[in-house]
Structure formats: structure tokens, C-alpha cells
Amino acid sequence: MLPLLQRDAARLDIEAEFPAEGFDRLRQMGLLRACLPEALGGLGFGDGAQGAIDLLNLLQGLGEASLPIARLYEAHVNALQLVCRYGVPSLIERCACDAIAGELFALWVTDPPEGGLKLSEKDDALVLGGGKAFCSGAGAASRALVTAETPAGIRMLIIAVEPGRRVLASPIKLSGMRAATTGSMDLDGLSVPPDALLGEPGDYLREPVFSAGAWRSAAAALGGLTALVKIHREEVLRRGRAEDPHQCARFGELVIAYETARLWMERAALRGCLEDDSPEGVVAYVNLARLAVESACLDGMRLSQRSLGLAAFMVGHPAERVCRDLSTYLRQPAPDEALAKAAQFYFEAELPGAR
Ligand SMILES: Cc1cc2nc3c(=O)[nH]c(=O)nc-3n(C[C@H](O)[C@H](O)[C@H](O)COP(=O)(O)OP(=O)(O)OC[C@H]3O[C@@H](n4cnc5c(N)ncnc54)[C@H](O)[C@@H]3O)c2cc1C
């Protein structure tokens, strides 16, 4: 499946088009339900040690084939994991049935500058007011986990949206990740059933789940780096430049960056899924892993752009698209805070693996 996803990535990037056929393939392979527990008809991806490695391999593979697909899939997994953790049984059952039926879940939690989404009670019904920004899968996803302000605090809820509806014409256009169709959603007036609410006010930001989940987006970014390493190798070999000592040294450094990121991710996936430490310990480790992968990707792009030269900037060259997608996708929230918090933790705590 992955070569087929990879084949379509260039066209979907040019057209900024949602990868509908790619998601049909994921659906057919049962991957939209893979992150559900086995008891609910899933494959337990993300559950326990084996599930952590399965999900890591899948996200890395999807990221290698297409970063926009990996980003959209990661949000689907995130939303369903939060439903399973915080939802009432009727909601869990409904969402599991939806995922098995092939509905794509999005995760829309970023508020537009003009103000956050609000949930209020009107005539015994729950009604949303406002919208969300930076919504990947806008116009394509049929379900979404959103956060909304209530008098008691921020709540999570699941909404159903008709594909193609409620998408705002947005002046925001990202230079990379174009096939993730990241747009603004108008959710004003949408009513939701009471059991669509998940957890208690403030649960969305509850640790370690909130920060530890960052291992999944880092795994997708690792996939992007994997693609870049392979493109780089193929191009240098094709040009007959692999014997050059400078090209050799840069490729060696690139493989170091890749393997550093991969080793961090192996540990971070396990720690994020098993929650095998205090919440602070899991969060600190995953925060460092996320930043280690970011550094490896930034180093990887610098090395590839130097080795491939102008080819890496030519529209239509796969390195150009992968670097554009990767640079955009690496802009994840609050990197300074993630590093500072992890540093504070390890000022006090034993180092990972130290005896
Ligand atoms: C491709 C893509 C798809 C996305 N899809 C979705 C989606 O589907 N749903 C969704 O909800 N969101 C989505 N987002 C948005 C995403 O969740 C983040 O909001 C966004 O990536 C934050 O990026 P940022 O660089 O602006 O972060 P920021 O956190 O604003 O960081 C920018 C810089 O400011 C620093 N900084 C942060 N806070 C402060 C502060 N208080 N004071 C001083 N400095 C600060 C940071 O350390 C960093 O150096 C998407 C983003 C991308 C790139």
C-alpha cells in the first residue's frame, strides 16, 4: 500500500487535495479501526508494548509515504484514544462502530485568534458557538474531537460533520502539508447529544496523556526523515558522487541523525503507551524525544540540501516536497516550553537508563 500512497503524494501536494484514495486504501486494510482495542473490534495499535511498536511502524511508514496522510491518520488515532479513555460507554461504542464503518476522525483543538469555540445549553440541548482554526481534514473528516469552552472549563466532545460542509474560505495557506487540507471550520449552531461530551472539564490538558501523545507526531516526522534519507541516497548514487569524501561524510551524518531519531522513538513510543513512570517522567522523556526528532529532521534537511544542491529546491523533485512538508509539520506547539520543562525534570531526576 505504501508505494501507492507515495506515488500519489506529488499530485495531491500540487492540487492541495485530500488523499481520498489513500484513505480508501487505509479503510480497506482495516487501519481506521486498528487503534481500537481488540475487544472493540480493533487491532490494539497503541495498546501495550506490541501495540506501541505496531503503531510506531505504521506511523513511520505512512510518514515515509506521505506526511499529510500520516498527520491525518495520527489525529484519527488521537481522537479515538481519547474517546476510549474518557468517553462514556455509549459514546465509545458509537465511535468504535463509526471507525469500523470507515468514518475518519479529526482532532480540532486550535482556536482562531478571534476567540474559542463555546458550548452552551439552549432549550435542553447542547449547542456550539464559533469555530476552529488549523483543522486538518477540513471538508473531508466526518467526525471530530473538538475542545469547547463551558462555564466549568474546557470540555472535549465528539461532533459529526457532513464532508464538504462548514469549511470557511480561509486566508491561511500553508506552504507544506497541502494535502492535509488544513482549514478553518464554522461550527456555529451545531447541536450535540449530551453523551458526546468526554471526561471532565480540563481533561484535554491532563498529563501525561496530553504531552506524551506527541510521540505519535514525532513518529510521523521520523517517516518524513526516512523518505529524505532514501531520496538523498538514491540521488547521490545516481549522480555517481558517492565516492566523494564530502558527500560520504554528509551521508554518514544523515544516517546518524536518522538512527538517533529512530532510537529515541522506539523508547518514546513504549514509554508513551505504557505510561511506565510518573506522569512528569513520561512527559519529560517524550518531550525530549520529540525535540530530538525535530533536531534530526532539521539536520537531515540541511545535509540533504547541501548534498543535492539546487535539485532539492526544484518544484517536482521529491526532496523539495518532503522538505517543505517536513519543515511545516515540525512546527508543533510550544517547543521552548517542552525543552525547559524536560530540563527542569532532569535537574532533579535520575537520567534515563542511569544506575
Ligand atoms: C500541518 C499542520 C496541521 C495541523 N493540524 C491541526 C489540526 O488538525 N488541529 C489542530 O487543532 N491544530 C492543528 N495544527 C496546529 C497545531 O496544533 C499547532 O497549533 C501549531 O502547529 C503550533 O505551531 P506554532 O509554531 O505556531 O506554535 P507556537 O507554540 O506558537 O510556537 C512558536 C514559537 O513560539 C514559542 N512560544 C510558544 N508559546 C509562547 C509563549 N507563551 N511565549 C513566548 N514564546 C512562546 C514556541 O516555543 C516557538 O518557538 C496543525 C499544524 C500544522 C503545521
Side-chain angles (χ1 to χ4, degrees):
M1 174 188 67
L2 295 178
L4 293 174
L5 301 185
Q6 200 155 26
R7 190 198 59 193
D8 292 341
R11 181 182 62 78
L12 296 169
D13 168 61
I14 292 168
E15 290 167 13
E17 187 183 314
F18 177 81
E21 271 180 40
F23 272 91
D24 282 345
R25 292 183 201 285
L26 299 190
R27 246 175 228 115
Q28 282 156 17
M29 292 190 74
L31 291 176
L32 292 193
R33 62 182 169 85
C35 59
L36 294 170
E38 287 177 17
L40 288 172
L43 300 172
F45 277 34
D47 226 5
Q50 186 56 50
I53 299 304
D54 289 339
L55 186 55
L56 169 60
N57 289 338
L58 177 58
L59 287 167
Q60 185 181 352
L62 290 176
E64 182 184 340
S66 156
L67 270 169
I69 290 184
R71 192 274 162 276
L72 290 158
Y73 185 76
E74 190 279 324
H76 176 83
V77 172
N78 194 352
L80 284 172
Q81 286 192 347
L82 289 169
V83 167
C84 290
R85 182 177 289 258
Y86 294 116
V88 295
S90 58
L91 181 68
I92 296 176
E93 203 173 308
R94 196 161 70 236
C95 290
C97 286
D98 285 350
I100 290 167
E103 305 287 355
L104 177 66
F105 284 70
L107 187 110
W108 297 332
V109 295
T110 307
D111 289 315
E114 61 272 18
L117 188 66
K118 292 184 176 55
L119 183 69
S120 50
E121 258 191 88
K122 267 191 206 139
D123 308 327
D124 291 337
L126 292 170
V127 182
L128 286 169
K132 285 284 176 187
F134 290 111
C135 302
S136 290
S142 52
R143 303 284 183 273
L145 184 146
V146 298
T147 45
E149 290 168 22
T150 72
I154 302 285
R155 299 288 307 259
M156 290 181 277
L157 59 143
I158 296 292
I159 57 169
V161 276
E162 216 176 301
R165 304 287 304 276
R166 294 183 170 273
V167 184
L168 287 171
S170 170
I172 300 169
K173 289 208 172 20
L174 297 174
S175 58
M177 300 293 283
R178 288 160 50 83
T181 58
T182 303
S184 299
M185 292 296 294
D186 172 12
L187 303 174
D188 213 45
L190 195 73
S191 64
V192 288
D195 77 346
L197 288 165
L198 283 75
E200 299 298 320
D203 271 351
Y204 178 68
L205 294 178
R206 190 180 297 281
E207 299 291 17
V209 179
F210 174 66
S211 297
W215 81 261
R216 292 185 307 266
S217 31
L222 169 63
L225 179 59
T226 313
L228 189 60
V229 177
K230 291 185 182 175
I231 293 164
H232 178 124
R233 178 172 58 190
E234 199 174 298
E235 180 92 13
V236 172
L237 286 170
R238 192 181 58 77
R239 291 187 191 175
R241 292 181 171 176
E243 302 299 320
D244 175 77
H246 302 285
Q247 294 285 2
C248 255
R250 272 195 297 272
F251 187 61
E253 285 181 48
L254 182 57
V255 177
I256 291 172
Y258 162 80
E259 184 61 358
T260 305
R262 198 188 65 79
L263 291 169
W264 266 104
M265 283 319 304
E266 253 180 33
R267 289 294 307 151
L270 284 171
R271 301 201 66 181
C273 291
L274 298 178
E275 296 177 27
D276 59 354
D277 196 354
S278 63
E280 298 76 24
V282 172
V283 168
Y285 193 88
V286 173
N287 272 341
L288 290 184
R290 163 194 155 182
L291 295 170
V293 172
E294 185 198 39
S295 292
C297 292
L298 293 172
D299 284 348
M301 286 190 280
R302 176 179 56 78
L303 292 161
S304 283
Q305 288 173 345
R306 172 61 73 90
S307 279
L308 305 189
L310 204 52
F313 295 86
M314 281 162 68
V315 175
H317 194 288
E320 186 274 337
R321 174 177 43 81
V322 170
C323 286
R324 195 159 32 78
D325 282 348
L326 200 48
S327 313
T328 308
Y329 189 48
L330 287 176
R331 295 308 104 216
Q332 295 293 322
D336 300 332
E337 188 187 341
L339 181 61
K341 267 193 182 165
Q344 288 301 336
F345 178 81
Y346 284 112
F347 269 129
E348 305 284 335
E350 200 48 271
L351 291 173
R355 281 169 225 283

